[in-house]
Amino acid sequence: MPLGPLRPSPLVEQAAQRLRDQIAAGAWPVGTRLPGETTLARELGVGRSTVREALRALAGAGLVQARQGAGVFVTATEPAEDWPARLRRASVADVYEIRAMLEVRAAELAAERRTPDDLGALDRALADRDAALAGEGAGPGVEAFIDADIALHTAVVAAAHNPVLADLYAGFVPVLRDGLLDLAALVDVRAADEAHGRAAHAALVEAVRAQDPAAASAVIRAELDRTLAGLLQGR
């Protein structure tokens, strides 16, 4: 299948896409050495510098690898999936399983390390969650409640004072939020828990305030396990 000349537009992007298409179609199987830059430039109707940049883009996507003195070889037929993309593809139940692992430990650390400022943030987040719960219903009310709920859990993670843990949790939040919104659109969550775990969340805040790691982890584990069980039933 000939490559064909490119139309005017961002040439590097076009060249990279054309080469990516050829690789995906099997024109160059994994392990195959690509034609040289001069050959590719002639077939694509662009300069060698454009081809070089396109190959760098493909290397960044994990499709090819340059080997010193040997050329550029195909290493995969599909781009490597980055972490955000992998999370977006995950089910909310899968995300919840990992979320539970992170939050149980975060609750323990928060109880050990919380500061007066952390307690103030937790109290405000709990009050915001209560206010959102009072107005929870169809449409935007559900979204406001989910945002307030996630904000409270994020405040607990922040009180753990572990920046790596906080960054990991932040990566889960967008897909978690989308999954909970989808779930709320399909399931009557009030039928299972009219108060939406209000008592458990208040107990979590109090366990952190009391500097009781065992109680904090037990509360969050029970609450997340309850929610996860409901999610798994819907799989």
Side-chain angles (χ1 to χ4, degrees):
M1 178 169 56
L3 289 173
L6 298 177
R7 299 182 303 276
S9 94
L11 292 181
V12 172
E13 289 83 351
Q14 277 198 79
Q17 185 60 53
R18 191 67 59 81
L19 295 172
R20 187 180 292 115
D21 291 344
Q22 292 288 97
I23 291 171
W28 299 304
V30 173
T32 300
R33 183 171 66 86
L34 294 181
E37 288 181 3
T38 300
T39 301
L40 291 175
R42 182 175 62 252
E43 292 191 30
L44 291 167
V46 297
R48 289 182 60 186
S49 62
T50 298
V51 170
R52 194 173 301 119
E53 290 300 318
L55 291 175
R56 286 199 187 104
L58 295 186
L63 294 173
V64 302
Q65 181 181 52
R67 299 176 187 170
Q68 186 67 32
V72 177
F73 290 79
V74 177
T75 54
T77 57
E78 295 182 0
E81 191 173 41
D82 61 17
W83 180 237
R86 179 66 187 87
L87 280 178
R88 286 192 297 272
R89 192 164 57 82
S91 71
V92 67
D94 288 339
V95 171
Y96 241 85
E97 288 180 344
I98 304 303
R99 178 194 182 190
M101 296 177 193
L102 294 177
E103 287 202 38
V104 167
R105 183 54 178 153
E108 292 173 344
L109 292 175
E112 295 171 359
R113 301 173 178 176
R114 96 289 187 277
T115 66
D117 286 344
D118 293 327
L119 293 178
L122 287 169
D123 287 337
R124 289 190 296 274
L126 182 61
D128 289 345
R129 187 182 187 275
D130 287 343
L133 176 59
E136 197 268 339
V142 173
E143 186 172 352
F145 173 73
I146 288 173
D147 287 341
D149 181 72
I150 291 174
L152 174 56
H153 287 268
T154 300
V156 173
V157 173
H161 294 281
N162 183 315
V164 176
L165 179 60
D167 287 346
L168 282 172
Y169 190 76
F172 281 94
V173 166
V175 69
L176 176 66
R177 181 180 187 275
D178 289 344
L180 292 176
L181 285 170
D182 290 344
L183 182 69
L186 297 172
V187 178
D188 181 7
V189 288
R190 280 191 182 277
D193 180 8
E194 183 73 17
H196 287 309
R198 200 285 169 188
H201 286 78
L204 172 61
V205 172
E206 289 310 308
V208 172
R209 189 188 314 279
Q211 295 187 297
D212 188 340
S217 64
V219 169
I220 192 64
R221 181 182 289 110
E223 177 62 15
L224 293 178
D225 283 351
R226 181 187 64 80
T227 307
L228 179 58
L231 292 172
L232 291 174
Q233 286 179 358
R235 272 184 165 182

